[in-house]
Amino acid sequence: MLKMKKAKIGILMLDTQFYRPAGDIGNKHTFPFSVVYKMVEGASISKVVKERDTGLIEPFVQAAKELEEEGIRAITTSCGFLALFQKEIQQQLTVPFYSSSLLQIPMASITAGEPIGIVTASESSLTTAHLSGVNAHHQHVIIKGMDNMPKFSGAIVHEEIELNEAAVKEEMKQITSELISSHPGLKAIILECTNMPPYRDAIREVTKLPIFDITTLVNYVYLTI
């Protein structure tokens, strides 16, 4: 009988209810290895994305420490906007902490060049402070958000409607097409939102640029620990 390998990566989850298809960080089938999930109660999308609530730092730290006690060797999250608190959380932990896919911006800059396109759940909420949180404020980035995409925002940002994967796929293609058409010199794309990787293949239909997201980060981290 094969013995299951103990999980090395823990994922701090926002307090959400929407469906997460394979490819989403919250779906256990997304990775070819085991992960451990821990929800941070009260960490709503609104508090993280819109309010930038610093009162969430301590609950995230506490949940991360609980994962440490369970033997987890690296920790990530289910929301790229937590880049804002990368340093505040990391300095209180003893294992590596990877708050956001945006941590890959410097690497994409060095390996692919600039400018780099960032596709985010909310362009109106993603600020230079988030980029500074992951030491990416010096890179030339172009930000494009899903703010006006009703199927994506309705299901994932506002949690008002059921997730329609086919419709979100088309919205992701539309936004990506608009981004690369407006900025034909882009060298790479980073998906801020951890709910976007299920649509990577759809994005591939409209661009051959390198694509970085939370799954590329987590897979890399797994090989380093």
Side-chain angles (χ1 to χ4, degrees):
M1 184 176 180
L2 293 175
K3 185 177 180 180
M4 291 291 291
K5 289 186 177 180
K6 186 176 180 180
K8 298 190 292 183
I9 292 180
I11 302 174
L12 298 177
M13 300 292 295
L14 265 58
D15 194 347
T16 59
Q17 301 298 322
F18 57 81
Y19 172 66
R20 295 172 177 273
D24 187 295
I25 197 169
N27 187 308
K28 66 180 182 179
H29 300 296
T30 292
F31 302 105
F33 45 80
S34 297
V35 297
V36 172
Y37 293 104
K38 185 174 290 292
M39 186 182 74
V40 181
E41 292 188 13
S44 66
I45 293 174
S46 178
K47 284 186 177 182
V48 174
V49 177
K50 301 295 184 182
E51 300 173 32
R52 305 167 201 164
D53 187 355
T54 57
L56 292 174
I57 294 175
E58 185 53 38
F60 271 93
V61 169
Q62 182 57 43
K65 287 183 175 179
E66 291 173 4
L67 288 174
E68 286 183 329
E69 293 173 359
E70 295 171 16
I72 291 300
R73 294 167 57 187
I75 297 170
T76 188
T77 83
S78 72
C79 183
F81 279 86
L82 287 163
L84 186 64
F85 305 135
Q86 167 69 34
K87 297 168 185 175
E88 289 84 352
I89 296 174
Q90 185 277 325
Q91 66 186 5
Q92 299 187 63
L93 305 180
T94 59
V95 302
F97 175 65
Y98 302 85
S99 62
S100 172
S101 62
L102 300 180
L103 283 159
Q104 297 168 107
I105 294 174
M107 180 174 70
S109 173
I110 293 172
T111 59
E114 298 180 8
I116 298 165
I118 299 176
V119 180
T120 177
S122 177
E123 183 176 344
S124 60
S125 299
L126 189 61
T127 69
T128 54
H130 292 88
L131 300 180
S132 295
V134 292
N135 291 338
H137 50 294
H138 294 303
Q139 270 74 49
H140 181 192
V141 300
I142 308 296
I143 300 173
K144 186 73 172 177
M146 301 292 288
D147 307 64
N148 297 319
M149 295 291 103
K151 300 302 182 182
F152 180 94
S153 293
I156 294 172
V157 178
H158 304 296
E159 295 190 273
E160 296 173 339
I161 61 175
E162 290 188 9
L163 179 67
N164 183 327
E165 294 177 68
V168 172
K169 172 183 175 180
E170 293 306 313
E171 289 181 342
M172 290 295 306
K173 288 170 63 175
Q174 178 183 335
I175 285 295
T176 305
S177 295
E178 291 175 2
L179 176 63
I180 59 179
S181 294
S182 299
H183 304 278
L186 286 180
K187 301 299 184 182
I189 292 174
I190 293 182
L191 307 181
E192 167 274 318
C193 181
T194 65
N195 312 115
M196 291 178 177
Y199 312 102
R200 169 188 282 269
D201 288 344
I203 296 172
R204 274 273 167 258
E205 294 177 20
V206 297
T207 181
K208 295 181 180 179
L209 291 174
I211 300 172
F212 299 82
D213 59 32
I214 193 62
T215 62
T216 61
L217 178 59
V218 172
N219 279 295
Y220 168 77
V221 169
Y222 181 81
L223 295 174
T224 69
I225 57 176

